[in-house]
Amino acid sequence: QSLLTQPPSVSAAPGQKVTISCSGSSSHIANNYVSWYQQLPGRAPKLLIYDNNKRPSGIPDRFSGSKSDTSATLGITGLQTGDEAEYYCGARDSLTVWVFGGGTKLTVL
Amino acid sequence: QVQLQESGPGLVKPSETLSLNCSVSGDAIRHYYWTWIRQSPGRGLECIGYTLSGGITYYSHSLKSRATISVDLGKRHFSLKLTSVTAADTAVYYCASGAYGDRLEYWGLGTMVTVSS
């Protein structure tokens, strides 16, 4: 059982917006930075969002992140079929190793 | 250009030791956090542990007694050893590295390890 909780799946039509939630305890989310990872089918995870809401170079601004207390949210606008993937939230604090959500499968209808 | 590449046997017998290497190239040699993560078939991500270039290592509570992670920047690789493996250790193993502890910035392609007799 994952320490961070994500919905198993979300879906939306191309061009629409979707949000994926990630909830956890104060020790994992409230007091630490949250990052998000995209895992395309058969591929390694890829950093999508770090420090709750920052995008690495090369990640389009269709992807956004936010955090409030013990919850974090990934937002994706202008959905494309290429966005179909598994999305994971993750966090690390100084006392533990990385913890992840169970993953959310995004389907673009 | 940062590149990480895992290597090791794809098949390990139960009770034996799983040994994996992650070769590091490009700017990755300047990184500070060196992490091993695994993903069991059809499951989510699980962090095995990570080591810092300064030598401190942290392990998952559930794997602490069996895992050893080390980094050798001179040889441009870091490694994972997992002892007394069982079928539950069958997974894709990823190495990841980065300069910052708040993100898993660069990932290897992953290597599938099956534990079976």
Side-chain angles (χ1 to χ4, degrees), chain A residues 1 33-35 37 39 43-47 50-51 88 92-102, chain B residues 33 35 37 39 43-50 58-60 94 101-105 107-110:
Chain A
Q1 188 171 355
Y33 286 116
V34 174
S35 49
Y37 303 86
Q39 187 174 32
R43 305 288 295 273
K46 172 185 172 182
L47 178 64
Y50 68 95
D51 287 2
Y88 293 92
R92 183 192 71 87
D93 66 32
S94 59
L95 299 178
T96 68
V97 297
W98 282 86
V99 293
F100 298 98
Chain B
Y33 292 82
T35 306
I37 290 163
Q39 186 171 32
R43 303 289 297 275
L45 303 172
E46 177 186 18
C47 180
I48 299 167
Y50 64 92
Y58 299 85
Y59 297 102
S60 159
Y94 296 101
D102 59 354
R103 71 199 81 156
L104 294 160
E105 197 166 5
W107 295 67
L109 298 178

Side-chain angles (χ1 to χ4, degrees), chain B residues 47-64:
Chain B
C47 180
I48 299 167
Y50 64 92
T51 191
L52 310 182
S53 292
I56 301 172
T57 306
Y58 299 85
Y59 297 102
S60 159
H61 180 74
S62 63
L63 294 169
K64 184 175 183 178

